[in-house]
Amino acid sequence: MKVVAINGSPRKEGNTYHALSVIGEQVNQAGIDFEIIHIGNKIVRGCTACMGCKRNKNQKCVITTDEVNNWIQKMKEADGILIGSPVHFAGIAGTMKAFLDRVFEVASVNNFMFRNKVGAAVVAVRRSGGVFTFDALNHYLMYSEMIISSSNYWNVTHGLEQGEASQDGEGNQIMRVLGKNMAWLLKVLAAGKDSVDPVVMEEKEVTNFIR
């Protein structure tokens, strides 16, 4: 089994990375592979609403000037997915938002290919806006019929300068507990896979509010 963590911070080893690493330690201790993919310092264009991914249904975004399609496949192959972002103006960091919009659009139009994977969102913030960003990240996971792993509080850690999150005792505990719970959930799902029939996916029904 494997968990892939997306680091949406411009800083490669900032406080978002620290939070993901604390989770990763627990996942590794449970015998599960863990990889952090740093996308926050890359140039990632936002979704252009061209619907090419829906027409093609080839698990790819039609934009090929970045690594998004490679990252989509890494996420597809993983059993668990973590999405981590710093807080910019009480919201998801810009590059991370562009990444998420494209990745989860491709996933949704290709038979919800992240469906039933274990997912969790993680946020690093200086002071305020963490819960708003945490909520926004969870929208992607919940829309995709993913199984959400939780902790003993919202998955938010605090710090400004690189490494300051290590001083947030409660934040570090939140990430440790999340890592343990995620590993446990992955193992439970794997153990029951052959004995419990999966839920049959319903075809997506779309209702517009303009008649």
Side-chain angles (χ1 to χ4, degrees), residues 69-100:
N69 287 325
N70 292 331
W71 296 327
I72 288 172
Q73 291 306 307
K74 280 185 172 262
M75 294 168 75
K76 176 192 171 185
E77 293 165 5
D79 303 283
I81 298 171
L82 283 163
I83 52 175
S85 178
V87 175
H88 291 182
F89 288 89
I92 301 170
T95 298
M96 183 63 165
K97 181 67 166 61
F99 165 83
L100 292 171

Side-chain angles (χ1 to χ4, degrees), residues 157-174:
T157 191
H158 291 78
L160 175 61
E161 299 301 330
Q162 182 172 314
E164 284 186 352
S166 63
Q167 302 173 45
D168 180 3
E170 184 173 359
N172 281 288
Q173 184 188 58
I174 290 166

Side-chain angles (χ1 to χ4, degrees), residues 87-199:
V87 175
H88 291 182
F89 288 89
I92 301 170
T95 298
M96 183 63 165
K97 181 67 166 61
F99 165 83
L100 292 171
D101 285 348
R102 285 170 57 195
V103 168
F104 280 85
E105 181 66 18
V106 169
S108 69
V109 300
N110 284 274
N111 296 317
F112 285 82
M113 63 188 195
F114 297 157
R115 183 175 182 262
N116 291 338
K117 292 184 184 294
V118 176
V122 171
V123 172
V125 62
R126 182 191 72 84
R127 185 173 177 87
S128 299
V131 173
F132 298 113
T133 306
F134 177 62
D135 177 60
L137 290 171
N138 275 303
H139 293 172
Y140 294 93
L141 307 179
M142 298 182 74
Y143 178 85
S144 303
E145 289 192 60
M146 295 180 70
I147 301 167
I148 310 299
S149 182
S150 61
S151 186
N152 61 2
Y153 204 71
W154 325 131
N155 303 335
V156 179
T157 191
H158 291 78
L160 175 61
E161 299 301 330
Q162 182 172 314
E164 284 186 352
S166 63
Q167 302 173 45
D168 180 3
E170 184 173 359
N172 281 288
Q173 184 188 58
I174 290 166
M175 302 308 158
R176 285 197 309 272
V177 172
L178 176 58
K180 292 175 183 178
N181 287 347
M182 191 171 198
W184 175 83
L185 184 53
L186 284 164
K187 290 185 175 184
V188 168
L189 289 169
K193 188 174 183 180
D194 295 329
S195 58
V196 180
D197 292 333
V199 176

